[in-house]
Amino acid sequence: MDTTRDLVQRHIDSFNAGDADGLLADFAPDATWVTGDYAVPAGELRSFFEGAMRSIRPRLSLVRTIADGEAVAVEMTEMWTHDDVTKRASLIAVFDLAAGRIKKAKIYREGSADA
C-alpha cells in the first residue's frame, strides 16, 4: 500500500481510537494545525487532540484520498457530540508532508469549524 495512504489510514484509526500517541507519531515535532479560524501552534497538538477526544469524541470516516508528492488532500466525514447533540459534517484535510510526516494540516469543514 502507498505510504501516504498508510499515513492517512493510521491517522484516522488513531483518531477514532482516541490514541493521541499513535496520532502524534505521524506529525513532525513542529507541526501546526488550522481548523476554521483556530490555529494550534507547534508543540501544542497533544493538548488539542486529547481535549477534543475527551470532550466531543469525534469519529472520522474516509471518503477518498488525493496525493501529490508532499501534499495530500483527504475527504472525510466527521461525527461528534456536543451538548448531547450528535453532529455530522463533511471535511477536507490538506496535509503538507515532510520526510513522511505531517508538517502542516489545514481543515476545511462544511458549515462551521466550531462545535
Side-chain angles (χ1 to χ4, degrees):
M1 184 185 265
D2 177 342
T3 57
T4 300
R5 293 183 196 282
D6 290 342
L7 182 143
V8 168
Q9 193 59 57
R10 276 194 314 271
H11 176 81
I12 291 170
D13 292 345
S14 295
F15 191 86
N16 289 343
D19 177 7
D21 291 331
L23 185 69
L24 293 168
D26 284 318
F27 281 90
D30 60 345
T32 58
W33 182 276
V34 177
T35 181
D37 293 333
Y38 184 73
V40 180
E44 296 183 21
L45 288 179
R46 177 174 296 281
S47 61
F48 172 73
F49 285 121
E50 287 177 346
M53 289 172 182
R54 273 192 313 271
S55 64
I56 63 174
R57 302 190 190 281
R59 292 210 33 98
L60 299 173
S61 299
L62 179 65
V63 176
R64 65 180 162 159
T65 302
I66 303 167
D68 183 24
E70 293 293 301
V72 59
V74 183
E75 182 180 1
M76 296 179 275
T77 301
E78 182 178 27
M79 292 183 68
W80 70 98
T81 302
H82 183 258
D83 291 337
D84 294 324
V85 176
T86 299
K87 300 181 180 188
R88 178 187 168 110
S90 295
L91 64 88
I92 300 289
V94 178
F95 299 133
D96 292 331
L97 308 176
R101 296 177 83 186
I102 300 169
K103 176 82 173 164
K104 179 181 176 185
K106 173 72 176 156
I107 310 304
Y108 300 89
R109 184 176 286 108
E110 177 182 47
S112 172
D114 299 324

